[in-house]
């Protein structure tokens, strides 16, 4: 396969749900660490992190359905992120891994959090890297994720930028527009000014995203609430809508066992933030999206605060979590600050293995 770094192998693994394309590195009998990518990307984004694991570990990175070279199975958004989570469980079964350390980035953070909720005994530890809020992306307010409107208006498939979607579908590798995949990667996935390697593999990875109603961005429904649309029931962005995906502190408090959690985030993330440039409410507050109904009705979603609130509840119920903030880093600290990310991850894994 093109775009593989030395030391990485690839194969397609049949499972009970989909045939999943998987990257692997390290020792076949080593302690398994499973890396789950985010939206509009694939396992290729994890290659440097996989190779950075020391001896004794086995790195596994699947492409989620509709990304990379995994089956283009449709996403049922009414299940939230469970299509992806269940696919992950089926892959662990197929690989004969009863338990693993899970690392999830962005949307992948929501996938592994959902998997923890559904199968806590299979999660040796959890690492969340700039994860989507446990209350979904868009359409909520306050630390406990109250819906701004009952229908989740402002979130889901209608929030996808049609020009960006069209450029993905066309395989655009250029840099002539701020909405080209390459420019989005360099300005938003990482801290602007950083050029992560292998860059061309990552641009290629973004272009493997399946587009359309069943994939990215998904369907949309009309709404009488600002900004005029609500989540649909199909596709990737709807799977993260707050009407479909929601994990509370009470949900995590009920888990047994409670594996240790590492939350790593870049201090300068513009995607998952309390002032996210992808949150229509925040853009409305800046006057970029017209008609914003105001702070009381639809304030910017406090995404980081919401994650901290849920993890604080986990800790109060007997769980353990560590928050690590990496300075001068964007949405992908594993890409723009790989040494700091590696240090945090390895310390977390070592502590979890020692327990």
């Amino acid at each position: 396969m093109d775009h593989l770094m030395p030391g990485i192998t690839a194969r397609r693994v049949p499972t009970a749900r989909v045939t999943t394309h998987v990257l692997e590195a390290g020792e076949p009998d080593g302690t398994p660490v499973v890396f789950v990518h985010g939206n509009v990307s694939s396992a290729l984004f994890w290659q440097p992190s996989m190779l950075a694991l020391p001896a004794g570990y086995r790195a596994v990175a699947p492409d989620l359905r509709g990304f990379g070279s995994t089956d283009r199975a449709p996403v049922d958004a009414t299940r939230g992120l469970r299509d992806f989570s269940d696919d992950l469980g089926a892959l662990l079964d197929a690989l004969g891994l009863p338990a693993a350390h899970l690392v999830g980035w962005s949307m992948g953070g929501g996938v592994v959090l959902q998997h923890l909720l559904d199968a806590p005994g299979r999660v040796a530890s959890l690492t969340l890297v700039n994860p989507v809020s446990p209350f979904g992306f868009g359409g909520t307010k306050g630390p406990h994720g109250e819906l701004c409107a009952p229908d989740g208006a402002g979130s889901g498939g209608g929030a996808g930028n049609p020009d960006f979607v069209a450029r993905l579908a066309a395989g655009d590798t250029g840099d002539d527009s701020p909405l080209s995949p390459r420019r989005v990667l360099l300005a938003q996935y990482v801290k602007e000014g950083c050029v992560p390697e292998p860059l061309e593999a990552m641009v290629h990875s973004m272009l493997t995203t399946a587009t359309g109603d069943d994939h990215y961005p998904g369907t949309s429904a009309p709404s009488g609430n600002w900004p005029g649309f609500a989540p649909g029931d199909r596709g990737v962005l709807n799977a993260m809508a707050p009407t479909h995906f929601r994990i509370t502190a009470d949900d995590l408090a009920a888990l047994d066992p409670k594996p240790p959690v590492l939350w790593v985030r870049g201090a300068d993330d513009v995607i998952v933030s309390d002032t996210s440039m992808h949150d229509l409410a925040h853009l409305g507050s800046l006057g970029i999206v017209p008609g914003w109904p105001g702070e009381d009705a639809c304030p910017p979603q406090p995404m980081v605060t919401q994650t901290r609130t849920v993890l604080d509840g986990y800790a109060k119920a007997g769980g353990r979590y560590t928050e690590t903030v990496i300075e001068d880093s964007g949405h992908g600290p594993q890409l723009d600050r790989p040494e700091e990310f590696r240090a945090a991850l390895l310390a977390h894994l070592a502590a979890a293995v020692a327990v």
Side-chain angles (χ1 to χ4, degrees):
M1 175 185 174
D2 292 339
H3 305 292
L4 292 185
M5 298 176 69
I8 302 283
T9 62
R11 59 176 169 142
R12 281 171 57 82
V13 178
T15 79
R17 290 177 54 80
V18 294
T19 296
T20 301
H21 183 256
V22 178
L23 304 186
E24 294 174 287
E27 300 177 12
D29 296 325
T31 301
V33 182
V34 179
F35 296 88
V36 181
H37 66 81
N39 194 15
V40 192
S41 63
S42 76
L44 290 172
F45 271 74
W46 283 119
Q47 290 188 95
S49 299
M50 296 170 70
L51 294 171
L53 291 180
Y57 287 98
R58 174 187 181 184
V60 176
D63 292 335
L64 299 175
R65 64 169 59 197
F67 298 92
S69 297
T70 288
D71 289 353
R72 262 45 182 160
V75 176
D76 178 359
T78 66
R79 305 187 69 234
L81 292 171
R82 281 192 173 91
D83 270 355
F84 299 121
S85 172
D86 289 351
D87 291 349
L88 176 60
L91 175 65
L92 296 180
D93 287 341
L95 295 177
L97 300 177
H101 299 273
L102 302 184
V103 183
W105 172 44
S106 193
M107 182 181 77
V111 173
V112 298
L113 194 62
Q114 183 66 61
H115 197 69
L116 171 64
L117 193 65
D118 294 339
R122 301 193 66 169
V123 181
S125 76
L126 197 70
T127 300
L128 306 173
V129 186
N130 292 65
V132 62
S133 165
F135 304 126
F137 199 100
T140 69
K141 58 185 177 181
H144 299 287
E146 177 188 355
L147 287 172
C148 296
D151 61 358
S155 66
N161 185 292
D163 188 10
F164 178 62
V165 175
R167 288 173 179 272
L168 286 177
D172 178 12
T173 61
D175 62 356
D176 62 319
S177 165
L179 291 172
S180 72
R182 182 183 300 271
R183 292 275 295 277
V184 167
L185 190 163
L186 293 174
Q188 300 181 37
Y189 283 28
V190 297
K191 180 72 178 283
E192 193 160 12
C194 171
V195 180
E197 292 296 337
L199 177 61
E200 296 308 317
M202 295 177 192
V203 174
H204 165 81
S205 171
M206 296 174 73
L207 298 176
T208 66
T209 301
T211 57
D213 287 348
D214 284 323
H215 302 289
Y216 179 82
T219 57
S220 184
S223 173
N225 300 301
W226 183 87
F229 66 84
D233 58 6
R234 298 153 59 197
V236 174
L237 291 186
N238 295 309
M240 290 185 283
T243 49
H244 300 314
F245 174 68
R246 182 178 181 86
I247 296 176
T248 69
D250 288 344
D251 292 330
L252 296 187
L255 293 177
D256 183 23
K258 292 182 174 66
V261 176
L262 171 65
W263 174 25
V264 184
R265 61 183 183 88
D268 301 318
D269 189 356
V270 298
I271 296 178
V272 174
S273 165
D274 285 0
T275 53
S276 168
M277 296 306 292
H278 288 238
D279 174 24
L280 294 186
H282 178 59
L283 296 177
S285 74
L286 298 177
I288 297 172
V289 178
W292 182 58
E295 189 79 21
D296 290 340
C298 196
Q301 181 185 3
M303 301 178 186
V304 171
T305 299
Q306 289 174 349
T307 296
R308 187 177 297 112
T309 298
V310 169
L311 291 179
D312 280 348
Y314 184 63
K316 288 177 182 177
R320 293 185 292 119
Y321 90 90
T322 301
E323 178 181 356
T324 298
V325 181
I326 298 179
E327 298 299 327
D328 201 30
S329 174
H331 186 58
Q334 75 277 25
L335 305 175
D336 57 24
R337 288 292 178 266
E339 291 303 320
E340 291 96 325
F341 173 77
R342 179 179 184 271
L345 176 62
L346 293 187
H348 172 63
L349 293 176
V353 170
V355 173

